[in-house]
Amino acid sequence: MKTRLLFLGPPGAGKGTQAARLCEANGMSHLSTGDLLRSEVAAGTALGQEAEAVMNRGELVSDALVLAIVESQMKNFSEGGWLLDGFPRTVPQADALEPLLKELEQPIEAVVLLELDDAELIERLLARGRDDDNEAVIRNRLEVYREKTSPLISFYRDKDLLVSVHANGSVEEITKRITEMLS
Ligand code: B4P
């Protein structure tokens, strides 16, 4: 099974849910930039204070800030592989990731794109009810995804790394689908 992975997809597609299951089952390191940013916010660090308002508007935190977090965490990657969840989210982040992975001599093996239609995304996020999960903010996050993150689909398709998975159905079904695609 491929164990050096990126998870890509719109907000609410289940990246965090599926990433946690896959990493647990396969002994991979799970790096979620969303979770790392939320811990900085909860701890009230300077970085968290800078990120909080941006996240609550449904915008993306600056590339420089996210890259600083990712770079420090990559040193702790497990031998068993890793999964970057919600990172990269922009083409500049993807460009910056390449030399970091080259230095580690650990190239990406696959980029998993989780796809789901907007109505279901909105329904799931409203049910989750995090601080950034109200309808106006969710719609903005979907716009931001289309504008800034979706160009990564062709970026990774051109590198022959993209694997698309339908993210509808039960959590277990989707994990099975992803695992089969990566075997
Ligand atoms: P993230 O933390 O990455 O969260 P997300 O995209 O909203 O959700 P995800 O797709 O992981 O869905 P989940 O599993 O939770 O980003 C939050 C914010 O952080 C961004 O808006 C941005 O501001 C900032 N950020 C993060 N990374 C950044 C970066 N690289 N650059 C700049 N800014 C960055 O699932 C959603 C809900 O659906 C859950 O309630 C779950 O229980 C439910 N669910 C999951 N699977 C389901 C299923 N099969 N059926 C029904 N419900 C399901």
Side-chain angles (χ1 to χ4, degrees), residues 66-81:
V66 171
L67 281 163
I69 295 186
V70 169
E71 213 170 333
S72 70
Q73 293 289 321
M74 280 171 61
K75 297 183 199 102
N76 308 322
F77 274 168
S78 108
E79 296 278 311

Side-chain angles (χ1 to χ4, degrees), residues 10-23:
K15 299 181 295 292
T17 306
Q18 294 299 328
R21 291 170 61 87
L22 218 66
C23 288

Side-chain angles (χ1 to χ4, degrees), residues 69-144:
I69 295 186
V70 169
E71 213 170 333
S72 70
Q73 293 289 321
M74 280 171 61
K75 297 183 199 102
N76 308 322
F77 274 168
S78 108
E79 296 278 311
W82 39 262
L83 194 166
L84 305 187
D85 159 14
F87 173 88
R89 245 180 171 92
T90 63
V91 172
Q93 289 180 16
D95 284 334
L97 177 63
E98 298 211 336
L100 297 178
L101 293 178
K102 203 160 192 179
E103 198 178 315
L104 290 174
E105 297 182 3
Q106 294 192 25
I108 299 165
E109 291 180 313
V111 176
V112 178
L113 171 66
L114 295 177
E115 295 186 291
L116 196 65
D117 60 46
D118 282 9
E120 201 163 339
L121 293 170
I122 293 170
E123 195 181 311
R124 280 188 191 179
L125 292 173
L126 287 175
R128 183 173 65 181
R130 218 166 56 193
D131 284 353
D132 56 345
D133 287 337
N134 67 68
E135 189 153 352
V137 172
I138 293 168
R139 290 197 184 277
N140 191 31
R141 282 158 62 199
L142 289 170
E143 272 305 302
V144 170

